[in-house]
Amino acid sequence: GQNKETSTQLMDTDLKKKKKKDILLAQHYLHMPICHSHYIECPPMGLETLKIDDFQLHASTTKRYGLGAHRGRLNIQAGLYEDDLYDGAWCAGRDDPLQWFEVDARRLTKFTGVITQGRSSLWSSDWVTSYKVMVSNDSHTWITLKNGSADLIFSANREKEIPVRNIFPTPVVARYIRVNPRSWFNIGNICMRVEILGCPMPDPNNYYHRRNEVITTDDLDFRHHSYKEMRQLMKVVNEMCPNITRIYNIGKSQSGLKLYAIELSDNPGEHEVGEPEFRYAAGSHGNEVLGRELLLLLMQFMCLEYLSGNQRIRHLVEETRIHLLPSVNPDGYEKAFEVGSELSGWSLGRWSNDGIDIHHNFPDLNSILWEAEAKKWIPRKMFNHHVPIPEWYQSKNASVAVETRALIAWMEKIPFVLGGNLQGGELVVTFPYDKTRSQGVTREQTPTPDDHVFRWLAFSYASTHRLMTDANRRVCHTEDFAKEDGTVNGASWHTAAGSMNDFSYLHTNCFELSMYVGCDKFPHESELPEEWENNRESLLVFMEQVHRGIKGVVRDLQGRGIANAKVSVEGISHDVRTAADGDYWRLLNPGEYRVTARAEGYSLSSKKCEVGYEMGATRCDFTISRTNLSRIKEIMEKFNKQPIRLPVRQLQARRSRERRMGT
């Protein structure tokens, strides 16, 4: 016990010495002149990305818990119904010039600037219009940034959403930093969302830094790419791996930018019978930039790993036809890219050039299917799958983005089996349906007939992500999705008609999910290596799920593949269709299923197909024969639907028999 007490005393003495050393070192840095020619602006410390945890944020006073210092993060969003837990800023308990918002960097840091926003709220208008900045090494003695001999006052926000950045005339080194509001909107309150720009000073003994550090070993191009740079990078990858890649475009944006995709396959440009088609798309909201960069990183990674002989990647490329579409909305991206990662706010560049939300711009086929089900039209008047697009949607006057039309043509042309669209601003995987079945209800569990499969697919991504299922992680904004294993039924989160996910499921064979890959829609370039590490395994595991379930070919008696044949699974009221060569894929969880193949003019065929737990789809082929009725119809069509004329001798013999019978 004595040894333990002595050990504790020694540790306390060491900590005091270290703190004193840190203070002396910081005081040295504070008074050390910095050459402006070497002044490099530091990246965000991580209030928005949650690298800075709640315990590092403090404030003078707080209006209520939901408006506490932990909510004072750049771009944090309030819930629709603002409450005591999840409001949209730090708001001071009193409106006077003595209030402050403080960040403890937990180590000596070179601070170079501050970014501020007002309060995220549908009902209130609160923002700070000017502030001072103070720094400290011990949280007791504070130094105010000066402009000569006077305190430096920074101009802040003029409204609540657009971020405003202020760069310090000279960087300052300290551990603590405070923002001290001096004026605010005259009919509002002191409320702020903040990001601090700062570079940690070298300190190999710092525990907090080591704990949070994530290092990647992948030698990839970790930066944000303009449209031209993206196109150039795709070309570089294509030249590195010409035998397994092909660049193509699916159409153009409203401003005329081509929507480029890259294909990875051992036979680029060719659909191989029995080989499933997979897609990732990103950037339908142009300001949700992380997904775009993740697909560009995935493209580089797969090319390099294939060349180095990585068996997992080789198997994926040789057994799957993979399509990556990094930028669905390049027009929106260019707007966000122009102002940069910290200043684009929550919505700049989200919509297409003509103001359309591309991800929710698809026809609402849910309502059409559910109405048909209510009228008992299925399957007599309408099928439970491949729901047709209504005529009004296809008219030129319909409010449909050119990017949406290009996506639909792409989805109809290629027999995709599984797809994921990468979104931003949250950490969760959503699956269909995205629209609530009950009218007027904004949140309600609305499962598809394939709910169990969708839940597995969502979990396969979320469970292999570094953060999504971490029960200890802080919520991004208002929802604690980690409680639900990082997945959620789209309609139970918030209802949305005409989503890409619902359309894909109801109009094509493809099961589509949305991956919200990070709290920060547009992370700083310095965050990309860590975000890649967070998502890399998930991106690969989800692709591999395309080989789960059953697959096969539906043929006629001559061995020819039958296109557009229906493949039904007993107990699941959602069928799939065969592709042009008669091949099909049906995603299913492990189990035994009774499967039926049928086609117009053919007799149906049923068999039991078993899906195992090991990766690889079970082969389940069908041979079906023509019905007698279809043969008669074919003969009738051959003779232009005219009565079949018998040869003259047969006609004479028949007349002779008729005469004899008459006598």
Side-chain angles (χ1 to χ4, degrees), residues 49-149:
T49 60
L50 308 184
K51 268 192 168 181
I52 299 293
D53 67 37
D54 288 352
F55 300 110
Q56 293 174 257
L57 304 177
H58 309 281
S60 50
T61 59
T62 294
K63 185 168 281 191
R64 62 172 185 267
Y65 177 78
L67 293 167
H70 65 293
R71 300 296 292 176
R73 299 170 181 272
L74 191 72
N75 283 322
I76 204 165
Q77 300 296 296
L80 183 62
Y81 310 105
E82 295 165 21
D83 53 38
D84 283 342
L85 290 178
Y86 300 117
D87 227 317
W90 160 66
C91 289
R94 300 189 301 273
D95 293 326
D96 63 49
L98 300 176
Q99 306 306 309
W100 46 260
F101 176 84
E102 179 183 308
V103 180
D104 174 6
R106 285 182 171 161
R107 62 181 295 177
L108 290 178
T109 300
K110 180 173 74 174
F111 298 116
T112 63
V114 173
I115 301 170
T116 58
Q117 275 173 313
R119 176 180 173 184
S120 166
S121 172
L122 292 173
W123 324 107
S124 306
S125 297
D126 304 309
W127 62 86
V128 168
T129 55
S130 69
Y131 59 85
K132 293 180 183 179
V133 173
M134 299 179 284
V135 293
S136 173
N137 299 311
D138 57 8
S139 78
H140 297 295
T141 305
W142 291 88
I143 297 172
T144 303
L145 268 59
K146 300 283 186 181
N147 181 16
S149 59

Side-chain angles (χ1 to χ4, degrees), residues 427-429 455-470 481 484-488 515 534 538 541-542:
L427 270 174
V428 68
V429 180
R455 286 181 182 277
W456 166 257
L457 292 170
F459 185 68
S460 73
Y461 193 99
S463 62
T464 49
H465 189 281
R466 283 187 64 252
L467 298 174
M468 273 188 195
T469 55
D470 181 359
F481 292 116
E484 307 295 327
D485 291 325
T487 69
V488 68
M515 291 80 180
N534 289 344
S538 305
V541 166
F542 186 74

Side-chain angles (χ1 to χ4, degrees), residues 536-553:
R536 180 185 58 196
E537 182 63 17
S538 305
L539 290 165
L540 297 174
V541 166
F542 186 74
M543 277 195 284
E544 290 168 337
Q545 303 313 304
V546 78
H547 296 284
R548 181 174 292 280
I550 60 174
K551 68 175 182 179
V553 182

Side-chain angles (χ1 to χ4, degrees), residues 174 189 302 601:
N189 303 113
M302 293 189 74

